[in-house]
Amino acid sequence: GNSLNSAFAKELETAKAEIEKRQKTLAGLDMYMRDVTEKKDLELKQYQQTIADLKRSFEKERKQWQGQDAIKRGHIERLKSLVDKHNETPDEEEDTFEEILREEMRVMKAAFELKMSNLREEITQKSIACSREVRLLKEELETERRQSSAYQAKIKA
């Protein structure tokens, strides 16, 4: 009966080893799944951020375009009225031409000013973000300095 017992014991050992191996594999899979999930979460967050950024820049472009569009429409109306005026009084050709040129300049100036104000706005936004970052860095440095001096004091004591 002894050989039967040792055969059982051997089988039991093999089974135990097999179970341990499977548990390790499962633990490994669990970690892997956690990693994958975290990575996917991060990717999703980055993706959402990208979409938000794209939306913002699209909105900005759209506003700019609408502004310029309004300027152009106003310009076309003014030119039409100038041409109509010219058709009523053809002898004032010089004046009408000069007026049209003046109107062209006015439109170019308005478009340029719009662009400049958008750029100024962007610069303001960027400098605000920049000074915020600088402030945070300074605070971090200050905290680190305080901690290290407290540590120094503790060592000396």
Side-chain angles (χ1 to χ4, degrees):
N2 205 7
S3 64
L4 195 63
N5 269 354
S6 69
F8 267 139
K10 211 175 199 173
E11 235 176 278
L12 195 60
E13 281 303 307
T14 312
K16 272 187 188 164
E18 191 60 36
I19 286 175
E20 234 171 77
K21 216 160 69 179
R22 294 217 176 146
Q23 280 174 334
K24 274 186 187 154
T25 308
L26 279 175
L29 271 174
D30 204 40
M31 267 175 63
Y32 173 73
M33 284 307 292
R34 260 206 309 272
D35 282 353
V36 168
T37 314
E38 276 173 22
K39 213 162 129 190
K40 287 285 167 225
D41 278 350
L42 191 66
E43 276 174 22
L44 183 67
K45 278 198 188 95
Q46 286 169 339
Y47 180 65
Q48 286 168 336
Q49 187 58 47
T50 307
I51 287 178
D53 290 346
L54 282 174
K55 271 187 187 162
R56 258 201 305 277
S57 62
F58 172 74
E59 266 310 304
K60 212 163 90 186
E61 288 282 319
R62 201 169 65 121
K63 278 194 186 124
Q64 224 166 339
W65 184 80
Q66 282 172 340
Q68 287 175 347
D69 202 47
I71 291 172
K72 281 183 202 143
R73 276 202 302 273
H75 173 54
I76 288 169
E77 288 305 309
R78 289 279 299 271
L79 285 182
K80 272 190 193 153
S81 75
L82 288 177
V83 169
D84 291 344
K85 197 172 100 182
H86 171 66
N87 287 339
E88 288 161 23
T89 53
D91 50 323
E92 293 173 13
E93 194 161 329
E94 276 305 303
D95 294 347
T96 307
F97 183 66
E98 267 182 27
E99 236 177 301
I100 288 174
L101 273 183
R102 262 201 306 277
E103 179 59 17
E104 287 280 342
M105 290 306 291
R106 197 184 65 76
V107 168
M108 277 158 60
K109 184 169 176 262
F112 178 72
E113 279 167 0
L114 182 72
K115 204 170 199 171
M116 287 309 287
S117 77
N118 282 328
L119 282 175
R120 269 196 293 275
E121 174 65 24
E122 206 172 306
I123 288 170
T124 306
Q125 292 299 325
K126 280 186 178 155
S127 75
I128 287 172
C130 204
S131 53
R132 190 181 299 131
E133 263 179 60
V134 169
R135 199 181 63 241
L136 286 174
L137 279 173
K138 274 184 185 165
E139 284 170 12
E140 265 177 51
L141 271 174
E142 200 46 51
T143 306
E144 275 177 35
R145 204 175 293 130
R146 266 201 301 275
Q147 283 170 350
S148 91
S149 61
Y151 178 67
Q152 295 293 327
K154 204 182 281 179
I155 287 176
K156 280 178 189 155

